[in-house]
Amino acid sequence: MNSFNADIEQACARHIFGTYSRFPVAFVRGEGCRLWDDKGKEYLDFLSGIAVCGLGHCHPEVSRAIERGARNLIHVSNLFYTYPQVELAQELTRLSFADKVFFCNSGAEANEAAIKLARKHSSDLYGPGRFHVISMKNSFHGRTMATLSATGQSKVHKGFEPLVEGFVHVDFNSIAAVEAAITDKTCAVLVEPVQGEGGLNFASPDYFRDLKALCRENNLLLIFDEIQSGLGRTGSLFAYEHEAMSPDIMTLAKGLANGLPMGAMLATDEVAEAFTPGSHATTFGGGPLVASAALATLKVVSEPGFLEKVRATGAYLVSRLRELEYRFPFVNHVRGRGLMVGMELDMPGGKFVSKCLEKGAIINCTHDKVLRFVPPLIAGRPEVDRMVAILEEAFKEEAL
Ligand SMILES: *Cc1c(COP(=O)(O)O)cnc(C)c1O
């Protein structure tokens, strides 16, 4: 770490907005579950660029699609048809509850589109004034004005008030809380099937089924933010598949194009009808280059056996982390589904993230005390064993 090149740190501080606090490492190359810094040091990546590079770094199929796409056609706008975009929409709808897709460029944009669609759908059906969206405490939905207003964490609101009107935050995993918040102004409920940034929080088994029923009774749309949980992360292609129900609208982004920026908002035909020419748009959305990368990604993730292996590796990771839970008293709780796994400590987790990084493994910490493990979905037992060995060393130093 002490060999870190101070020049890049200074140039970054001088010329880039100070919106991120960064670790003192500059990465120059990646392959599979491994990254290399500018000193040639190798790292095991259990963060995947925050649950983005599901197929690992520079997956040959995805890189080939990008190379081909870059030589063929990069951008023409949505005034015209392009084949990769339409093919990708066909695949995403074939593989999900949805009938139609709107493509954009990030998670926040996908949620922004979902919020607009819910408002428009309600306005078309029930007239104006019915625009409130119920979302959850400790949720995370993005950093644009509407999505940060939807986010149930006051730290992302501070200094940006007034917030966008019409967002109500209730306790996650409580049907009664949602019920109590519904008024004649409510049009939708927005929820992550697994709270990622909020500390890897899972709901109880019947919660989402009951939530869907409650939404039906009250003519509310149910929006699933699957930006982090989607595309195989939890061991099924979409996290809603674990819940014996499906939402009306779903948003995707992080894992969609394995590292190229792409978001998508999906809905049933009945709901999608509310958007007509001119309702919503984005210049770059669904361009042929990113769409080709997403198609290549989706092809690999939906290959037979791929998700079974994610489930098996995830179960193995959880069981190995539980061994540490029993041995180290400051570990409170290990929870996970597929390769979306959290380890809650009874102290801030930042120092363990730094220790792991020094020892050559990348994880992060969310909600102050929860170590987050979201490795590439292609990780296997050897990677899990190495990650757990490094974490164990870091824990032992703490216990000394
Ligand atoms: C990352 C994330 C977002 C925001 O996505 P951006 O691409 O950073 O705008 C929204 N919702 C969830 C659940 C996320 O994990």
Side-chain angles (χ1 to χ4, degrees):
M1 294 290 247
N2 45 14
S3 63
F4 178 66
N5 182 353
D7 291 350
I8 191 172
E9 191 172 19
Q10 277 168 15
C12 178
R14 174 70 188 85
H15 298 294
I16 296 180
F17 270 80
T19 50
Y20 307 105
S21 50
R22 299 177 202 256
F23 293 101
V25 179
F27 287 114
V28 294
R29 195 164 74 82
E31 186 186 320
C33 300
R34 295 179 299 170
L35 284 166
W36 287 269
D37 71 12
D38 55 356
K39 305 289 184 296
K41 178 176 165 184
E42 184 182 315
Y43 297 80
L44 174 67
D45 185 5
F46 258 54
L47 186 59
S48 315
I50 319 185
V52 168
C53 301
L55 300 184
H57 298 282
C58 302
H59 188 281
E61 299 275 336
V62 181
S63 291
R64 242 195 310 278
I66 294 171
E67 280 163 20
R68 236 182 276 132
R71 279 193 293 268
N72 204 48
L73 184 68
I74 294 176
H75 176 82
V76 289
S77 89
N78 286 305
L79 297 175
F80 306 96
Y81 297 99
T82 50
Y83 283 93
Q85 179 180 125
V86 178
E87 242 178 274
L88 178 60
Q90 280 174 327
E91 276 304 282
L92 286 171
T93 53
R94 182 178 71 80
L95 295 165
S96 73
F97 72 93
D99 302 305
K100 284 196 169 66
V101 188
F102 176 85
F103 289 110
C104 51
N105 315 289
S106 69
E109 273 183 70
N111 283 336
E112 192 82 24
I115 293 161
K116 283 182 70 176
L117 182 65
R119 283 190 174 195
K120 181 71 163 47
H121 175 263
S122 184
S123 157
D124 288 355
L125 253 65
Y126 308 102
R130 195 176 177 274
F131 61 91
H132 285 197
V133 174
I134 296 171
S135 63
M136 306 299 149
K137 291 178 186 166
N138 290 324
S139 60
F140 183 77
H141 299 297
R143 300 290 197 146
T144 63
M145 279 310 302
T147 59
L148 81 83
S149 303
T151 294
Q153 302 188 50
S154 53
K155 68 180 183 202
V156 313
H157 299 158
K158 262 215 169 75
F160 300 109
E161 297 89 351
L163 301 182
V164 173
E165 198 187 339
F167 292 95
V168 183
H169 304 112
V170 304
D171 285 333
F172 180 60
N173 199 24
S174 163
I175 293 294
V178 177
E179 207 164 4
I182 296 172
T183 69
D184 56 8
K185 288 185 172 171
T186 313
C187 70
V189 174
L190 168 61
V191 63
E192 296 157 88
V194 183
Q195 290 191 325
E197 304 306 303
L200 280 293
N201 303 319
F202 293 81
S204 42
D206 292 338
Y207 173 70
F208 289 110
R209 223 194 39 206
D210 294 348
L211 185 60
K212 174 76 183 235
L214 184 65
C215 287
R216 275 286 158 280
E217 280 164 35
N218 292 278
N219 296 316
L220 310 178
L221 295 180
L222 181 55
I223 307 168
F224 263 32
D225 177 344
E226 292 232 22
I227 288 162
Q228 190 160 155
S229 62
L231 283 313
R233 180 52 56 193
T234 66
S236 59
L237 191 55
F238 304 109
Y240 77 80
E241 295 170 44
H242 299 288
E243 309 294 348
M245 49 71 73
S246 60
D248 302 293
I249 301 175
M250 170 170 75
T251 53
L252 303 173
K254 289 194 164 80
L256 187 51
N258 208 49
L260 290 195
M262 182 176 230
M265 188 265 298
L266 295 84
T268 58
D269 269 331
E270 189 261 318
V271 176
E273 255 176 35
F275 271 2
T276 51
S279 297
H280 195 53
T282 174
T283 301
F284 295 115
L289 180 70
V290 281
S292 299
L295 268 170
T297 305
L298 198 55
K299 186 161 168 282
V300 177
V301 174
S302 57
E303 269 166 12
F306 187 93
L307 293 170
E308 279 88 332
K309 185 171 171 241
V310 173
R311 291 195 286 273
T313 309
Y316 182 65
L317 173 61
V318 166
S319 75
R320 292 295 328 270
L321 291 175
R322 290 227 162 103
E323 290 169 20
L324 299 185
E325 179 186 342
Y326 303 135
R327 284 180 41 210
F328 295 93
F330 51 83
V331 179
N332 274 349
H333 187 220
V334 175
R335 50 187 179 254
R337 184 172 281 163
L339 284 168
M340 189 167 181
V341 176
M343 177 185 246
E344 188 173 324
L345 308 178
D346 67 8
M347 63 171 114
K351 65 179 156 191
F352 297 111
V353 174
S354 296
K355 276 182 195 287
C356 285
L357 190 66
E358 281 168 34
K359 298 172 191 301
I362 303 167
I363 55 172
N364 88 334
C365 179
T366 171
H367 212 62
D368 190 40
K369 291 177 180 170
V370 182
L371 300 181
R372 171 166 49 182
F373 305 84
V374 282
L377 305 177
I378 57 167
R381 286 183 170 228
E383 286 79 21
V384 169
D385 287 337
R386 184 145 160 250
M387 179 68 241
V388 173
I390 289 173
L391 187 64
E392 182 182 353
E393 272 180 46
F395 279 177
K396 274 184 183 158
E397 287 172 15
E398 173 65 24
L400 281 179

